[in-house]
Amino acid sequence: MKSAITAGGAIFGKLKALGIDYVFANSGTDFPPVIEGLVEARRQGLDLPIPVTVPHEHAAVSMAHGAWQVTGRPQAVLLHTNVGLSNGATGLINAWCDQVPMIVMSGRTPVTEHTRFGARTVPIGWGQEMFDQEALIRETTKWHYELRFPEQISDLLDRAWAIANSTPKGPVYLSLPREVLCEPCPPEGLDRPSRIAPVVTAPEPAAVQRAAEALVGAERPLILSQRGAGSAEGFAALAQLCDDFALPLSHYWSNQIALPIAHPMQVGSDPAPWLAEADVVLVLDALAPWFPDKVTLRDDVTVIQAGPDPLFSRTPVRMFPAAITLSGPVDGTVAALGAAMRALPLDAARVEARRTVVAQASDAARTAVRAQAEAGRGAPMSKEWVALCLGEVVKGRKATVFHELGCPLQPLMLDQPDSYFQEPHSGGLGWGLPAAMGAKLADPERLVFATIGDGSYMFANPTACHQVAEAQGIAVVTLVLNNEEWGAVRQSVEGLYPDGHARATNEVPLTSLRPSPDFALTAAASRAWTKTVTDGADLPAALERAVEAADAGRQALLNIAIARVT
Ligand SMILES: Cc1ncc(C[n+]2csc(CCOP(=O)(O)OP(=O)(O)O)c2C)c(N)n1
Ligand SMILES: [Mg+2]
């Protein structure tokens, strides 16, 4: 890059130099220097990220989220002033909760009323002004700032990128006043990667040693994992660790897998019976590792908490004990723990005895999961049956299943580290479909499914999503698990008031989504391949056809009739 360029375009060049492939954008009157600058940058022959027009901001942020999950490459989002940012704020709550790095920017309405180039030209210039626009996302970003001068672009984005990628990772935000975007930006620094290296933390060696001694000496150890093993290497290392030391692992409310579901040490989604007897519990990147209202641990239990932010310091109330705390990315911690544990003397007989017990329980749990899933094969069918069928279809393929009130984890029987992503524990619905789309866009060879409830599908702004999928050739397969209600809300009412008034009614108020729209028509409006499936017996064939459509490059949607759970 030799000559100055409009600041709005300079940002794109710098983002590419930082390794960003996509800018998910939803534009407005703050964008003229961005759009003009983008074309100027193209004409200068600069290497630029691909700008993707996304007609809803929640979808834009969620696409960046999903793209990062399958590639490990952070992406950027560019929104319109305060109004675009507030529409994207739920996506940021999700990215924050899941520790997903991304650079989010939004315009700032012009601060000048006349004379200066870029000053206010329409009434929204006044209407969108805020005293503190950053307040909208302050709690859900690691760093936030406003661009004051065009020559700051390179250095500020270096800093933003490095902070987003530091342990624990997370989103950052930069607001972009229109007058600054209109100014020429000097070329220095715009074409080089960040001069600032991200911080990667590692657990204290003494703490690793104590944790290793506790785990090797344990009679009844247990691992609870919610957010996977950190990387493919971490996944393999954790499987080896569980194998070598016969360590049972439970996927309690997990939104990624840490161990293949068929692994003999994978004991399912309910840790309660294991927790009650455990003498050492390794909590591996788990925000809410058990249900304190229902679970009583042994008095002499040693709880080890490990993860990028093992005490989840930005969560106000979280009192789970931590006798030993291991701070750092999960893969590094697993490697360090493994090395320390293998250096210690081992009671091999005890490990082998435990292996037999755990493997039997693991096997029995899988058999029960399968039987329950098969029993849900009717018309309408269960979510578990859909999961079982989907698991068969993806076997042997490079595939990822996104879940938002969708296919439950256990019957899917997945075995790859990046094969499953569930909505973050923040639960800002509308994430599943666009996250799956972001993943498919960033890794088109991958077979990608969005398995989502009918409520979640509507939260996703489906018309916007299908429009983007068609425009960008994103051949994602959407499975709408349609029970014609917000089942989770109804079940929550019935859980809190099991003998209550609401439960006694035929239709619990504020939870019904009847009459259900014909979602196949919503997707067909953007020329998706679609089918409605009402009988479980027809599902395997329908899934095969949907996958064929996706393999041929066309988005597909199955609207699947799901039985209400009582
Ligand atoms: C943005 C947002 N609004 C509301 C909620 C509250 N909520 C949690 S689960 C749920 C219902 C989900 O319905 P659906 O996707 O159809 O799944 P189901 O429970 O019926 O299987 C709602 C509304 C939320 N989590 N996020
Ligand atoms: Mg539903």
Side-chain angles (χ1 to χ4, degrees), residues 383 405 427-429 453-456 459 483 485-489:
K383 291 186 183 184
L405 284 307
L429 296 184
D454 51 324
S456 298
F459 276 112
N483 51 13
E485 64 163 349
W486 288 335
V489 179

mmCIF file of all heavy atoms in Angstrom, residues 383 405 427-429 453-456 459 483 485-489, ligand 1:
data_model
loop_
_atom_site.group_PDB
_atom_site.id
_atom_site.type_symbol
_atom_site.label_atom_id
_atom_site.label_comp_id
_atom_site.label_asym_id
_atom_site.label_seq_id
_atom_site.Cartn_x
_atom_site.Cartn_y
_atom_site.Cartn_z
ATOM 1 N N LYS A 383 -36.859 -35.579 19.402
ATOM 2 C CA LYS A 383 -35.588 -34.976 19.008
ATOM 3 C C LYS A 383 -34.468 -36.028 19.025
ATOM 4 O O LYS A 383 -33.542 -35.973 18.222
ATOM 5 C CB LYS A 383 -35.217 -33.849 19.972
ATOM 6 C CG LYS A 383 -36.099 -32.622 19.886
ATOM 7 C CD LYS A 383 -35.542 -31.518 20.776
ATOM 8 C CE LYS A 383 -36.433 -30.294 20.765
ATOM 9 N NZ LYS A 383 -35.868 -29.183 21.540
ATOM 10 N N LEU A 405 -31.596 -25.798 20.855
ATOM 11 C CA LEU A 405 -32.824 -26.545 21.136
ATOM 12 C C LEU A 405 -33.033 -27.578 20.032
ATOM 13 O O LEU A 405 -34.160 -27.862 19.624
ATOM 14 C CB LEU A 405 -34.033 -25.612 21.254
ATOM 15 C CG LEU A 405 -34.249 -24.772 22.511
ATOM 16 C CD1 LEU A 405 -34.214 -25.590 23.769
ATOM 17 C CD2 LEU A 405 -33.384 -23.575 22.644
ATOM 18 N N GLY A 427 -27.482 -18.304 25.902
ATOM 19 C CA GLY A 427 -28.763 -18.673 25.303
ATOM 20 C C GLY A 427 -29.467 -17.561 24.553
ATOM 21 O O GLY A 427 -30.698 -17.540 24.518
ATOM 22 N N GLY A 428 -28.744 -16.648 23.938
ATOM 23 C CA GLY A 428 -29.383 -15.594 23.127
ATOM 24 C C GLY A 428 -29.870 -16.192 21.824
ATOM 25 O O GLY A 428 -29.123 -16.293 20.848
ATOM 26 N N LEU A 429 -31.120 -16.618 21.813
ATOM 27 C CA LEU A 429 -31.613 -17.436 20.705
ATOM 28 C C LEU A 429 -31.561 -16.702 19.372
ATOM 29 O O LEU A 429 -31.634 -15.474 19.302
ATOM 30 C CB LEU A 429 -33.026 -17.927 20.985
ATOM 31 C CG LEU A 429 -33.175 -18.877 22.181
ATOM 32 C CD1 LEU A 429 -34.621 -19.375 22.286
ATOM 33 C CD2 LEU A 429 -32.226 -20.052 22.093
ATOM 34 N N GLY A 453 -34.810 -25.515 17.236
ATOM 35 C CA GLY A 453 -36.242 -25.532 17.521
ATOM 36 C C GLY A 453 -36.976 -24.553 16.613
ATOM 37 O O GLY A 453 -36.360 -23.670 15.998
ATOM 38 N N ASP A 454 -38.300 -24.719 16.537
ATOM 39 C CA ASP A 454 -39.081 -23.796 15.693
ATOM 40 C C ASP A 454 -39.009 -22.368 16.246
ATOM 41 O O ASP A 454 -38.928 -21.397 15.488
ATOM 42 C CB ASP A 454 -40.539 -24.261 15.554
ATOM 43 C CG ASP A 454 -41.215 -24.561 16.887
ATOM 44 O OD1 ASP A 454 -40.541 -25.064 17.808
ATOM 45 O OD2 ASP A 454 -42.425 -24.304 17.011
ATOM 46 N N GLY A 455 -38.971 -22.258 17.591
ATOM 47 C CA GLY A 455 -38.807 -20.930 18.179
ATOM 48 C C GLY A 455 -37.445 -20.350 17.819
ATOM 49 O O GLY A 455 -37.330 -19.197 17.392
ATOM 50 N N SER A 456 -36.412 -21.154 17.954
ATOM 51 C CA SER A 456 -35.055 -20.691 17.648
ATOM 52 C C SER A 456 -34.940 -20.275 16.186
ATOM 53 O O SER A 456 -34.247 -19.309 15.855
ATOM 54 C CB SER A 456 -34.047 -21.802 17.949
ATOM 55 O OG SER A 456 -34.093 -22.110 19.325
ATOM 56 N N PHE A 459 -36.353 -16.867 15.870
ATOM 57 C CA PHE A 459 -35.448 -15.873 16.458
ATOM 58 C C PHE A 459 -34.279 -15.545 15.509
ATOM 59 O O PHE A 459 -33.643 -14.507 15.636
ATOM 60 C CB PHE A 459 -34.848 -16.392 17.769
ATOM 61 C CG PHE A 459 -35.712 -16.180 18.987
ATOM 62 C CD1 PHE A 459 -36.286 -17.250 19.653
ATOM 63 C CD2 PHE A 459 -35.934 -14.901 19.481
ATOM 64 C CE1 PHE A 459 -37.064 -17.064 20.784
ATOM 65 C CE2 PHE A 459 -36.711 -14.708 20.619
ATOM 66 C CZ PHE A 459 -37.278 -15.795 21.267
ATOM 67 N N ASN A 483 -41.988 -28.422 17.350
ATOM 68 C CA ASN A 483 -43.021 -28.898 18.274
ATOM 69 C C ASN A 483 -44.118 -27.844 18.460
ATOM 70 O O ASN A 483 -44.941 -27.946 19.367
ATOM 71 C CB ASN A 483 -42.408 -29.297 19.631
ATOM 72 C CG ASN A 483 -41.526 -28.196 20.191
ATOM 73 O OD1 ASN A 483 -41.549 -27.058 19.704
ATOM 74 N ND2 ASN A 483 -40.746 -28.512 21.206
ATOM 75 N N GLU A 485 -44.117 -24.929 19.638
ATOM 76 C CA GLU A 485 -44.149 -24.252 20.949
ATOM 77 C C GLU A 485 -42.738 -23.878 21.371
ATOM 78 O O GLU A 485 -41.755 -24.323 20.795
ATOM 79 C CB GLU A 485 -44.749 -25.186 22.013
ATOM 80 C CG GLU A 485 -43.893 -26.437 22.253
ATOM 81 C CD GLU A 485 -44.221 -27.166 23.545
ATOM 82 O OE1 GLU A 485 -44.960 -26.628 24.393
ATOM 83 O OE2 GLU A 485 -43.702 -28.291 23.720
ATOM 84 N N TRP A 486 -42.678 -23.061 22.413
ATOM 85 C CA TRP A 486 -41.436 -22.844 23.150
ATOM 86 C C TRP A 486 -41.431 -23.892 24.261
ATOM 87 O O TRP A 486 -41.745 -23.600 25.428
ATOM 88 C CB TRP A 486 -41.415 -21.441 23.753
ATOM 89 C CG TRP A 486 -41.231 -20.344 22.756
ATOM 90 C CD1 TRP A 486 -40.636 -20.413 21.535
ATOM 91 C CD2 TRP A 486 -41.620 -18.970 22.915
ATOM 92 N NE1 TRP A 486 -40.622 -19.188 20.914
ATOM 93 C CE2 TRP A 486 -41.217 -18.274 21.745
ATOM 94 C CE3 TRP A 486 -42.245 -18.259 23.927
ATOM 95 C CZ2 TRP A 486 -41.442 -16.911 21.569
ATOM 96 C CZ3 TRP A 486 -42.464 -16.901 23.749
ATOM 97 C CH2 TRP A 486 -42.055 -16.237 22.583
ATOM 98 N N GLY A 487 -41.066 -25.103 23.876
ATOM 99 C CA GLY A 487 -41.143 -26.219 24.819
ATOM 100 C C GLY A 487 -40.300 -25.981 26.069
ATOM 101 O O GLY A 487 -40.709 -26.317 27.182
ATOM 102 N N ALA A 488 -39.113 -25.413 25.887
ATOM 103 C CA ALA A 488 -38.222 -25.219 27.038
ATOM 104 C C ALA A 488 -38.851 -24.287 28.066
ATOM 105 O O ALA A 488 -38.674 -24.472 29.280
ATOM 106 C CB ALA A 488 -36.879 -24.664 26.568
ATOM 107 N N VAL A 489 -39.608 -23.297 27.581
ATOM 108 C CA VAL A 489 -40.256 -22.367 28.513
ATOM 109 C C VAL A 489 -41.377 -23.094 29.259
ATOM 110 O O VAL A 489 -41.505 -22.983 30.480
ATOM 111 C CB VAL A 489 -40.785 -21.121 27.768
ATOM 112 C CG1 VAL A 489 -41.484 -20.183 28.738
ATOM 113 C CG2 VAL A 489 -39.663 -20.402 27.030
HETATM 114 C C1 LIG B 1 -33.354 -13.934 22.618
HETATM 115 C C2 LIG B 1 -34.059 -14.854 23.548
HETATM 116 N N1 LIG B 1 -35.357 -14.647 23.857
HETATM 117 C C3 LIG B 1 -35.999 -15.499 24.671
HETATM 118 C C4 LIG B 1 -35.359 -16.566 25.232
HETATM 119 C C5 LIG B 1 -36.100 -17.489 26.211
HETATM 120 N N2 LIG B 1 -36.213 -18.858 25.680
HETATM 121 C C6 LIG B 1 -35.423 -19.848 26.106
HETATM 122 S S1 LIG B 1 -35.780 -21.322 25.415
HETATM 123 C C7 LIG B 1 -37.056 -20.641 24.539
HETATM 124 C C8 LIG B 1 -37.912 -21.478 23.662
HETATM 125 C C9 LIG B 1 -37.200 -22.133 22.524
HETATM 126 O O1 LIG B 1 -38.143 -22.677 21.662
HETATM 127 P P1 LIG B 1 -37.750 -23.662 20.513
HETATM 128 O O2 LIG B 1 -36.541 -23.178 19.807
HETATM 129 O O3 LIG B 1 -38.957 -23.914 19.694
HETATM 130 O O4 LIG B 1 -37.302 -24.993 21.261
HETATM 131 P P2 LIG B 1 -38.193 -26.009 22.132
HETATM 132 O O5 LIG B 1 -37.941 -25.663 23.544
HETATM 133 O O6 LIG B 1 -39.625 -25.826 21.742
HETATM 134 O O7 LIG B 1 -37.697 -27.346 21.765
HETATM 135 C C10 LIG B 1 -37.175 -19.280 24.800
HETATM 136 C C11 LIG B 1 -38.189 -18.411 24.184
HETATM 137 C C12 LIG B 1 -33.991 -16.724 24.920
HETATM 138 N N3 LIG B 1 -33.257 -17.717 25.431
HETATM 139 N N4 LIG B 1 -33.375 -15.884 24.057
#
